[in-house]
Amino acid sequence: MSNPADSSATGSGASQPAGSVSLPGKAVGIGSGAILNATYFAVTAVVTFFLSPYVLRRLGDAPYGLLSVTWEIGGYFGLFDFGIRSAINYYVARSSASGDLDELRHVIRTAFWLLACVTAIGLLASYPLAYFSAAFIDRGPLDLGVVRRILWLGLVVFSLNLTGSLAVSVLAGLRRFNWLALTNLAGSVATAVLMVAAIESGLGLFSVALAQGLGTILPWMTQQFIIQRWGLTAHLWPPRVERRLVSRLLSYGGANFLMRICELLTFQSDQIIIVQALGPAAVAQFHVGRFLALHSRSLIAVLSMVLAPYFTTLSVTGEQDEIRQIFLRLNRWICALAALLAAGVIGLGRPFLVLWVGQRFVLGDWWARSDIVLLFFALAMAFRALSAVPYQFLLGTRRLRFATTVLLLESLALVGAGIFVVRWQGIAGIAMLKLASSVMISGAFVAYSVREAGVRASDYLAQSIAPGLLAGAATAAAAALFRHWIPLSNWTVFFLAASLSAAAGAAAFVMVSTSEDREFILRKLRSPLG
């Protein structure tokens, strides 16, 4: 049996039938893909770590909050792909696994023209939507015209994203995560450089937003160029869509469309609810508070996003035993990482905020403090991480109905309750609500996916949950000792405490890990991408 951490997709060098997938390089295995994604995430987190307080101090709370909420609102335009981009990922992975390059090209061509039509509609609707939505925002000291122009820019960028990020789905379906990580990393750095240049040049708030938009577009253009060089977009003209593929893309995409709506309502409605009720300054307090916890979730997401195409490949080839083994192993790693991150964020989060953005974010009304938001969000994201692998398993094996139903119920409940909670208990109440929903959603996903994957509940608890709890407990204990004995008054001491706390959690995990886990760690230390 092949090693699931290092296996590559079909078409990376073995003999292929006529018309089979034959592309430059080879598909990236799960372990290497996760490392590449983690590298991109780490660089992006470092960029954001330095960029956010810089923008906050140079522009002020209200402009910073407006830039944040603009990208929240613009993100909703991603809904209008109707799930087609996720369907591309799935059907590209199926075509790759079955070795059919012609089918792969047909999928890409049909999807491109569907998305191009939606992009055109989005561009036409962007200015009217920006013009009228600005009236519903408590803009504070900001000029109404500036608010409208920045909102319009965000909607334009995300309209272009509908077609521009087609290549992201193609590269992910082919498991070329090396190209994805490299291009996305370049875009993250370019965004920061352009924004800093705009601010240092004394340009206005719209110019800063324009710099952010240009940095966002850069990876899409590069990724499109890559798949064009591979000949995958050579037959886009003349425009043509195949009815059978439209039906398949919309069938899979329809379910994913609903899940995408749920995700946006769950994670991107918070700041919109807050800005409408409490203003942009409260958004800044909330955004700062959830920063660490939300980035912990993002790390889990970028690590687990490599799994769906792999589950698709195993499903096509009928390797059920390997699916069960991978399911347990990957859950063990993800749960341990989530527990370690949550323990570190909770234990060291308050001194982090003081060093990062200042004392004022951890003082004042308990329900309006960033450190309280951080506490509840860290716990919420830890529970949320339990559903990461189950969710990718359901996507990769096309078990979408259960996931759609559960996520829809959660998102509607969160938005409905959030409108009242924010006026009652402020920004911390929103974070507490997120914790309650995350506990319930993780329990539902785990119970269903364990049954569908043919995994015994006792095996899941013993092999996936128990090691994670031990890693989290060791991290929390180390962080508590540092906070008790050493004042975390500068970044050098803080990062030392964070590193040693994480090392304690990692050591605890290694102690209870399997021999296969330890062998995998040693192999990746010798050759991270091998």
Side-chain angles (χ1 to χ4, degrees):
M1 182 175 292
S2 62
N3 190 320
D6 293 320
S7 298
S8 297
T10 303
S12 59
S15 178
Q16 299 290 336
S20 65
V21 177
S22 179
L23 300 172
K26 64 179 182 178
V28 176
I30 290 178
S32 298
I35 291 172
L36 287 164
N37 282 358
T39 302
Y40 160 63
F41 172 84
V43 172
T44 303
V46 170
V47 169
T48 306
F49 172 79
F50 289 106
L51 184 64
S52 292
Y54 168 80
V55 175
L56 186 62
R57 289 169 183 149
R58 292 295 301 268
L59 299 182
D61 289 2
Y64 178 84
L66 177 62
L67 290 176
S68 298
V69 82
T70 295
W71 252 244
E72 294 274 358
I73 294 174
Y76 279 89
F77 255 42
L79 291 173
F80 294 104
D81 72 344
F82 302 106
I84 292 173
R85 287 176 294 180
S86 295
I88 296 168
N89 189 330
Y90 176 76
Y91 283 106
V92 165
R94 284 189 64 89
S95 299
S96 176
S98 60
D100 191 342
L101 181 57
D102 290 335
E103 180 72 3
L104 176 59
R105 286 173 172 155
H106 293 327
V107 168
I108 294 172
R109 180 177 58 191
T110 298
F112 175 83
W113 288 110
L114 288 175
L115 292 173
C117 292
V118 181
T119 291
I121 296 171
L123 290 173
L124 291 174
S126 60
Y127 186 78
L129 287 175
Y131 185 88
F132 289 109
S133 63
F136 295 95
I137 293 177
D138 180 355
R139 64 184 185 277
L142 299 175
D143 179 73
L144 178 60
V146 172
V147 172
R148 282 174 172 159
R149 287 196 298 273
I150 291 176
L151 290 176
W152 168 75
L153 176 64
L155 295 179
V156 166
V157 169
F158 280 91
S159 295
L160 296 173
N161 173 49
L162 293 172
T163 303
S165 60
L166 168 91
V168 175
S169 299
V170 174
L171 292 172
L174 295 172
R175 295 168 53 214
R176 297 310 203 267
F177 295 107
N178 48 350
W179 289 107
L180 276 178
L182 180 63
T183 52
N184 287 333
L185 190 152
S188 178
V189 174
T191 300
V193 171
L194 290 171
M195 290 183 69
V196 170
I199 293 172
E200 290 297 323
S201 299
L203 301 178
L205 185 58
F206 179 79
S207 296
V208 176
L210 180 61
Q212 188 176 19
L214 291 174
T216 304
I217 291 173
L218 177 62
W220 314 337
M221 297 175 62
T222 309
Q223 290 153 3
Q224 290 282 1
F225 176 76
I226 290 170
I227 65 171
Q228 182 179 3
R229 288 294 301 271
W230 290 354
L232 298 179
T233 58
H235 301 89
L236 293 181
W237 191 265
R240 180 183 175 188
V241 294
E242 297 186 31
R243 183 175 300 178
R244 64 180 181 87
L245 290 178
V246 171
S247 176
R248 292 177 187 176
L249 289 170
L250 292 181
S251 175
Y252 186 98
N256 205 277
F257 171 63
L258 288 178
M259 288 190 284
R260 179 67 175 147
I261 291 177
C262 297
E263 182 181 359
L264 286 171
L265 290 174
T266 299
F267 290 101
Q268 293 185 239
S269 64
D270 296 336
Q271 295 190 141
I272 295 174
I273 291 173
I274 293 169
V275 76
Q276 193 277 330
L278 305 176
V283 172
Q285 289 273 354
F286 183 80
H287 182 79
V288 166
R290 72 173 187 172
F291 175 82
L292 273 181
L294 205 58
H295 274 67
S296 297
R297 175 185 179 269
S298 298
L299 175 58
I300 299 296
V302 299
L303 291 174
S304 60
M305 70 170 286
V306 306
L307 305 181
Y310 199 84
F311 280 126
T312 301
T313 299
L314 293 179
S315 177
V316 170
T317 55
E319 300 181 58
Q320 188 62 36
D321 288 340
E322 191 164 354
I323 288 179
R324 284 193 292 268
Q325 292 180 18
I326 292 175
F327 187 90
L328 285 172
R329 176 180 295 183
L330 296 176
N331 267 294
R332 178 165 63 251
W333 283 76
I334 292 294
C335 290
L337 178 60
L340 187 153
L341 291 171
V345 169
I346 293 171
L348 302 173
R350 193 174 192 275
F352 170 85
L353 293 178
V354 172
L355 290 170
W356 187 42
V357 291
Q359 192 81 19
R360 69 186 178 94
F361 286 87
V362 299
L363 299 176
D365 180 14
W366 195 85
W367 294 98
R369 283 164 41 182
S370 296
D371 59 327
I372 305 305
V373 172
L374 180 146
L375 171 63
F376 288 129
F377 242 94
L379 290 171
M381 296 306 100
F383 279 101
R384 201 95 195 176
L386 298 180
S387 64
V389 175
Y391 180 68
Q392 295 297 322
F393 166 74
L394 296 178
L395 286 180
T397 57
R398 213 175 186 277
R399 292 172 166 90
L400 304 179
R401 182 174 299 176
F402 174 83
T404 303
T405 302
V406 172
L407 291 176
L408 180 60
L409 292 174
E410 182 206 23
S411 61
L412 293 176
L414 278 175
V415 172
I419 293 172
F420 296 99
V421 168
V422 71
R423 300 180 186 276
W424 175 41
Q425 299 291 11
I427 59 175
I430 294 290
M432 189 188 305
L433 191 63
K434 198 76 68 187
L435 171 59
S437 72
S438 295
V439 171
M440 292 185 286
I441 204 75
S442 61
F445 266 97
V446 168
Y448 180 77
S449 60
V450 162
R451 187 190 70 186
E452 292 298 302
V455 175
R456 293 187 301 178
S458 58
D459 290 340
Y460 176 80
L461 292 173
Q463 297 183 36
S464 297
I465 300 299
L469 292 177
L470 182 61
T475 305
L481 287 174
F482 274 108
R483 287 194 63 180
H484 180 73
W485 293 108
I486 304 175
L488 304 181
S489 56
N490 60 69
W491 285 117
T492 301
V493 177
F494 176 85
F495 283 121
L496 176 63
S499 300
L500 294 178
S501 298
F509 174 74
V510 171
M511 288 175 57
V512 296
S513 62
T514 65
S515 58
E516 289 182 337
D517 289 335
R518 290 191 290 272
E519 191 274 334
F520 173 72
I521 292 172
L522 292 175
R523 187 169 63 253
K524 288 303 174 183
L525 287 174
R526 290 192 298 266
S527 178
L529 301 182

